[in-house]
Amino acid sequence: MFAILSRRVVLALVYLIGVAGLSGSVFWVAEGRALARLELAGQADLALAGDSLKNELDKFRSLAVVVAAHPDVAAVLSDGAIKGQADFLLELADKAGSLDIVVVGRDGKERASASGDGGIDHADSPYFLRAMHGAMGVYHLLSERYDRRAFLFAAPVFATDGPVQGAVIVAADIEAVEAGWRGDRPAVFFTDELDVIFVSNRTELVLRSRTGALREAGQSAEYPAGIVSAMPQIQSEILRDRHEIWRMDAGRYLPDRGLHLTRDMPVIGLTGEALFDVAPVRQLAMLQAAVAGGLALTFGAFLLWATERRRRLSEANTLLEARVSARTAELQDTNAMLRREVSERRTAQARLQQAQADLVEAGKLSALGQMSAGISHELNQPLMAIRSFAENAEAFLAKGKPEVAAKNLGRISDLAHRMGRIIKNLRAFARQETGALRDVDMVTVVDGVLDMVAPRLREQDVALHWKRPAAPAVVRGGDVRLQQVVLNLVVNALDAMDGTAKGALHIELGAADGRVMLSVRDAGPGLKEPEKVFEPFYSTKQLPNKEGLGLGLSISYGLVQSFGGEIKGRNHPDGGAVFTVTLDAAARQVAA
């Protein structure tokens, strides 16, 4: 027992050490990734601050260029002062928000000024010398004249014949530029080549030097002596991935520990720098490490609980296996019973399909039986005519009139073709059709049905209105089964008109939207219950000797659905019933 307890204690200590290592790794990785994200976002913020400062200063640069091109400035430099020129420059300076606008001649002397003070000599200043070479002079300094930090833009003024005859100097007030973003986050400052902070959104950083070099040297052209002071002591460290972290104590508005980023801005001669507080980064990394450690401890506790539970479950597993074995035997018996039921259902389905096929054949034979008398008459009449024409041809040949005999033989041939077409339609209709769907011309199907019911049409004196299309109307189906559908509809129409004074049968065939539509309309009394006509054993035949089983339309409904089509019955507004069969048109390839 003591050995088992000691083993568990050792495992627990090893696991705790692993958890501590995991937490430290998570902190390390999380801090590195957070610093990388902070640097990426910081570079964007620093670039935005630098662009903002540059855009503000570009307004004064543009002002210097515009004023230098003004004709009054050229007149001042060539002819001397013009009355009201100082007022003009003062008005421009007030509108643009600049400290001063100064017109300087080639000798560096001021010829006109918005401030009215013209006693400064610019001859040796770098910005004036650059303007005298035809370029834009840019300079920054702590100006004693304006008692504030200023940016100077010196634009050359060109004479009419080409050479530079002077310069226009525009002084920008840096404190006015800073006023709009002072106190914003992060802390941003811009240092010059002397490492002096000239522009910043933190007042406590202005005119401070990180190196303190100016204070030791005394002064420079830009800054009077004793103006520049050293920044608070900075401890810089380089973390992984070369992140520079500053540690310093510079007041509540600057981070004690911040990520230092820099960005060169050669256009204005400054270097943009920013400090981003890394305390939130470390807090987030510590939080993630704590979460990882907590999850690991939770997992360990769960693992201990699962191990104990597994031991208990193993005991119950033996009992469960015995029960499963008994249940499995019961399921096998049930499965065998279900298989027998499935087999019986399949046998019943096959019998049902065979019964449906037999019913279709019975329907065809019934239709042939009903038409037998008319078909016999249709065949007997041509036979009698053939006999008569044959006897006449024999007599004409005996009389030596072969041309008349030849005409009789031609008539015999036509009658034989007619009888052959009738017999062909009957044989095609009577055969049992099986196999997959194929392309069928509905025009040919309707023609075949009309050949079979022609005696009935004449017997009932029914007027046929068959709008036969000039082009084939090809659908997907079976020609025999489609012929049976059309025959059922035509025979039902003739039955409905039996005994009427003026019967009319209208058959139309059309196509639209990739579908072929066949309509069969009669001039009978119409349908009493259109919604029931396709139900099995529902018959609409009320005339004597015309009773039916009510299966014709039901069989037709099933056949049309097997082709992927639909059949509908309704009463026509002008009287009578109309049945519409809609089928998908077959896709055909037409040779070019």
Side-chain angles (χ1 to χ4, degrees):
M1 183 68 182
F2 180 76
I4 296 176
L5 183 60
S6 300
R7 182 170 175 270
R8 290 183 177 178
V9 171
V10 171
L11 290 176
L13 290 176
V14 171
Y15 187 77
L16 290 176
I17 293 173
V19 169
L22 174 64
S23 299
S25 300
V26 170
F27 176 80
W28 176 268
V29 173
E31 185 186 34
R33 291 182 178 178
L35 285 175
R37 290 194 298 269
L38 181 62
E39 180 177 4
L40 185 62
Q43 289 289 1
D45 291 342
L46 181 57
L48 184 63
D51 291 341
S52 177
L53 176 61
K54 178 179 175 299
N55 292 336
E56 289 292 331
L57 295 179
D58 279 347
K59 295 189 299 184
F60 301 103
R61 180 195 301 268
S62 301
L63 177 62
V65 174
V66 171
V67 175
H70 199 279
D72 289 350
V73 173
V76 168
L77 294 175
S78 60
D79 301 332
I82 296 178
K83 183 178 181 181
Q85 190 61 45
D87 296 338
F88 167 69
L89 295 178
L90 179 59
E91 182 181 359
L92 284 180
D94 290 341
K95 290 181 179 180
S98 62
L99 285 174
D100 201 357
I101 300 177
V102 182
V103 179
V104 183
R106 291 183 56 85
D107 55 357
K109 303 292 185 180
E110 295 184 2
R111 303 298 176 83
S113 172
S115 62
D117 184 5
I120 296 179
D121 188 355
H122 301 271
D124 297 328
S125 59
Y127 53 89
F128 178 75
L129 295 177
R130 182 169 177 79
M132 289 300 99
H133 287 86
M136 173 66 70
V138 181
Y139 196 67
H140 65 275
L141 76 165
L142 179 59
S143 173
E144 295 181 354
R145 177 177 185 176
Y146 307 114
D147 192 24
R148 61 187 58 217
R149 288 167 291 139
F151 246 90
L152 303 182
F153 294 95
V157 179
F158 295 95
T160 305
D161 53 355
V164 178
Q165 61 177 350
V168 171
I169 301 174
V170 175
D173 186 359
I174 294 301
E175 293 183 8
V177 173
E178 291 175 341
W181 44 286
R182 184 173 290 122
D184 292 346
R185 292 182 180 274
V188 178
F189 49 94
F190 298 88
T191 57
D192 57 17
E193 69 278 0
L194 299 175
D195 200 24
V196 176
I197 299 176
F198 188 73
V199 184
S200 177
N201 62 356
R202 297 291 187 272
T203 307
E204 59 268 31
L205 293 179
V206 175
L207 297 180
R208 290 207 172 193
S209 174
R210 187 165 60 248
T211 60
L214 273 183
R215 186 176 57 180
E216 297 174 1
Q219 64 178 15
S220 67
E222 294 91 338
Y223 308 105
I227 292 298
V228 177
S229 60
M231 289 183 65
Q233 186 176 2
I234 298 173
Q235 297 179 0
S236 178
E237 59 177 317
I238 305 297
L239 296 183
R240 55 189 180 279
D241 299 329
R242 304 189 64 81
H243 298 301
E244 184 181 3
I245 305 298
W246 279 12
R247 294 175 181 269
M248 62 179 181
D249 183 11
R252 56 183 298 186
Y253 298 107
L254 291 173
D256 296 334
R257 195 168 184 266
L259 176 64
H260 178 239
L261 300 178
T262 61
R263 178 184 178 88
D264 290 333
M265 301 182 64
V267 176
I268 58 176
L270 299 177
T271 300
E273 301 183 49
L275 287 175
F276 297 87
D277 193 0
V278 297
V281 170
R282 293 181 61 85
Q283 292 175 359
L284 179 61
M286 291 178 66
L287 178 61
Q288 292 176 346
V291 170
L295 290 176
L297 290 175
T298 303
F299 175 75
F302 174 77
L303 185 62
L304 179 62
W305 172 81
T307 303
E308 184 65 20
R309 180 175 176 80
R310 182 179 179 184
R311 183 184 63 80
R312 295 178 182 177
L313 290 176
S314 62
E315 297 175 355
N317 189 44
T318 304
L319 179 61
L320 181 61
E321 287 180 353
R323 294 179 179 177
V324 168
S325 298
R327 184 59 177 166
T328 301
E330 295 177 3
L331 291 176
Q332 288 176 347
D333 295 338
T334 305
N335 190 28
M337 182 179 65
L338 290 176
R339 288 181 179 178
R340 288 194 299 271
E341 291 183 1
V342 169
S343 177
E344 293 174 359
R345 286 179 178 271
R346 288 179 178 174
T347 302
Q349 182 70 20
R351 291 176 181 173
L352 177 61
Q353 292 177 352
Q354 183 61 38
Q356 290 176 343
D358 294 342
L359 189 59
V360 171
E361 292 300 317
K364 291 194 294 184
L365 295 177
S366 175
L368 288 176
Q370 293 177 8
M371 295 186 298
S372 59
I375 294 173
S376 298
H377 178 74
E378 191 74 6
L379 293 177
N380 187 52
Q381 186 179 9
L383 284 174
M384 296 298 294
I386 288 172
R387 179 180 178 181
S388 176
F389 284 130
E391 291 175 352
N392 291 338
E394 184 178 0
F396 282 123
L397 288 174
K399 293 180 181 182
K401 296 182 178 180
E403 65 281 359
V404 180
K407 291 181 180 180
N408 288 343
L409 293 176
R411 293 176 179 176
I412 291 172
S413 177
D414 293 339
L415 291 172
H417 280 298
R418 176 185 173 188
M419 294 174 64
R421 187 176 71 253
I422 294 173
I423 294 172
K424 179 181 178 183
N425 288 334
L426 290 174
R427 290 179 61 189
F429 181 72
R431 76 173 185 266
Q432 187 172 4
E433 182 183 52
T434 58
L437 302 182
R438 57 183 178 273
D439 291 353
V440 179
D441 183 10
M442 286 296 294
V443 178
T444 304
V445 170
V446 175
D447 288 340
V449 170
L450 293 178
D451 281 343
M452 288 188 284
V453 300
R456 181 85 180 271
L457 291 171
R458 290 193 295 272
E459 177 185 351
Q460 294 184 213
D461 192 21
V462 174
L464 175 63
H465 302 279
W466 162 223
K467 296 182 180 180
R468 191 179 191 278
V474 183
V475 299
R476 294 291 292 173
D479 50 359
V480 176
R481 286 172 285 176
L482 281 174
Q483 197 173 43
Q484 183 173 359
V485 172
V486 178
L487 181 61
N488 284 340
L489 297 179
V490 172
V491 170
N492 284 347
L494 293 176
D495 289 343
M497 294 184 293
D498 195 3
T500 59
K502 293 183 180 180
L505 179 64
H506 300 266
I507 301 178
E508 295 185 6
L509 192 62
D513 299 330
R515 308 203 83 187
V516 175
M517 290 160 287
L518 171 70
S519 65
V520 178
R521 174 189 164 199
D522 59 52
L527 303 173
K528 291 184 179 180
E529 299 176 302
E531 68 278 0
K532 294 184 178 181
V533 294
F534 297 110
E535 295 181 0
F537 306 108
Y538 177 83
S539 177
T540 60
K541 299 177 181 178
Q542 304 295 333
L543 298 174
N545 301 323
K546 296 297 181 180
E547 292 83 1
L549 295 176
L551 294 175
L553 289 177
S554 178
I555 293 173
S556 300
Y557 184 85
L559 291 175
V560 172
Q561 278 201 329
S562 68
F563 302 146
E566 59 180 357
I567 180 171
K568 296 180 179 179
R570 59 182 176 87
N571 290 318
H572 196 272
D574 296 335
V578 56
F579 287 86
T580 304
V581 177
T582 305
L583 297 168
D584 291 332
R588 303 186 60 86
Q589 297 179 350
V590 181

